[in-house]
Amino acid sequence: MANEAGRVLVLDDEAELRSMLERYLSQQGLAVRSVADAGQLYRLLERERFDVLVLDLMMPGEDGLQVCRTLRQQGHTLPILMLTARGDPADKVLGLEMGADDYLAKPFVPRELLARIHAMLRRQAMVGSGPALVEAARIRFGDYELDTASRQLLRGTEVIALTSGEFSLLQVLASQPGRPLSRERLMELAYGRDHEATDRAIDVQILRLRRAIETDPANPRYIQTVRAVGYVFAPDGAPR
């Protein structure tokens, strides 16, 4: 059923594109709603739950970057796939900095959009299947506990808000403590082989994680940089 397959919300000011995406994604078994501006989006999110937001970058009034920033500031962890009209790497990086999880340049092949959405839904669905897995799936470091079964990062009883992409990246790092991982390997393990991103995009995701868990993101204890390699996770906070 469509509801089981995932609920997708599309925000784009182009009526023709909204209609096409609603029709195509619905035919693929997804439950799809679309809106034309930020105001409609915020009102709909107050009433309904969605699994993925497809968000156009270039819009009159409140654009995609502003919408993304607002949602993250309000604590929304809804996965966001940003559509960039020019495919400019700077636009992509800026979108990631504002809190987007993925990006796709216009014009795009609908099947590629569908594949990206399915990948985001799979990341959300990665949960444990029984009580025996829950305890084994808890990773502790500092004041934090990473629960891979419920896909939550906890500090005491506080839930630290992470997007699905951020959680996947942290899970990959935390599951291989002390092992330096290249940016390419991190991308492959966290998002899949078919995911394309620049080194800068991974660096932006790492920066967002550091802002969430490090006391001083400029001098990180847990997610450390390995020069000429990539990153390494240090659960004890000791220099590597």
Side-chain angles (χ1 to χ4, degrees):
M1 296 177 60
N3 287 345
E4 295 173 347
R7 292 177 54 81
V8 178
L9 177 57
V10 177
L11 169 53
D12 197 295
D13 64 310
E14 297 180 34
E16 185 176 348
L17 180 60
R18 291 198 309 274
S19 178
M20 184 274 288
L21 290 181
E22 278 200 55
R23 183 172 61 256
Y24 175 76
L25 295 176
S26 296
Q27 290 172 350
Q28 305 306 314
L30 297 169
V32 187
R33 296 287 300 278
S34 68
V35 291
D37 57 51
Q40 294 177 13
L41 173 81
Y42 298 140
R43 290 191 291 274
L44 189 56
L45 286 177
E46 290 178 355
R47 305 193 305 267
E48 298 185 32
R49 179 193 64 80
F50 293 90
D51 300 306
V52 173
L53 169 61
V54 178
L55 175 63
D56 186 29
L57 173 65
M58 302 296 292
M59 294 184 295
E62 191 170 353
D63 66 16
L65 291 177
Q66 293 172 302
V67 170
C68 193
R69 183 191 298 113
T70 297
L71 291 176
R72 295 311 186 217
Q73 289 176 343
Q74 292 176 348
H76 284 280
T77 58
L78 173 68
I80 297 174
L81 172 59
M82 187 166 285
L83 302 178
T84 62
R86 296 187 299 272
D88 187 339
D91 285 342
K92 298 173 181 178
V93 169
L94 190 55
L96 292 171
E97 288 177 338
M98 293 300 102
D101 295 274
D102 200 357
Y103 50 79
L104 186 61
K106 290 182 177 180
F108 55 84
V109 177
R111 285 185 61 184
E112 183 176 3
L113 175 66
L114 179 66
R116 299 291 184 95
I117 291 173
H118 279 161
M120 299 173 92
L121 292 173
R122 284 195 300 271
R123 288 201 294 269
Q124 289 180 280
M126 290 172 59
V127 297
S129 59
L133 294 176
V134 174
E135 188 61 32
R138 293 179 183 269
I139 301 173
R140 295 178 175 83
F141 60 98
D143 297 329
Y144 298 96
E145 181 176 82
L146 188 70
D147 189 338
T148 61
S150 65
R151 289 183 69 78
Q152 288 185 322
L153 177 64
L154 305 170
R155 182 169 53 202
T157 58
E158 177 190 5
V159 177
I160 307 300
L162 296 178
T163 67
S164 62
E166 290 166 354
F167 188 94
S168 295
L169 186 57
L170 180 58
Q171 181 176 346
V172 167
L173 285 162
S175 64
Q176 303 189 57
R179 180 184 177 186
L181 296 170
S182 68
R183 292 169 174 84
E184 182 179 8
R185 184 60 174 160
L186 280 171
M187 178 62 71
E188 178 182 331
L189 293 174
Y191 307 123
R193 289 181 181 274
D194 58 348
H195 192 97
E196 296 181 6
T198 63
D199 287 351
R200 176 59 178 151
I202 276 290
D203 292 341
V204 170
Q205 298 276 22
I206 291 291
L207 177 59
R208 282 166 46 185
L209 274 179
R210 284 173 171 169
R211 287 172 176 166
I213 68 174
E214 302 282 2
T215 303
D216 181 4
N219 296 284
R221 297 179 56 205
Y222 302 117
I223 303 177
Q224 300 178 17
T225 301
V226 181
R227 189 177 299 276
V229 178
Y231 298 97
V232 63
F233 187 76
D236 57 2
R240 291 296 193 272

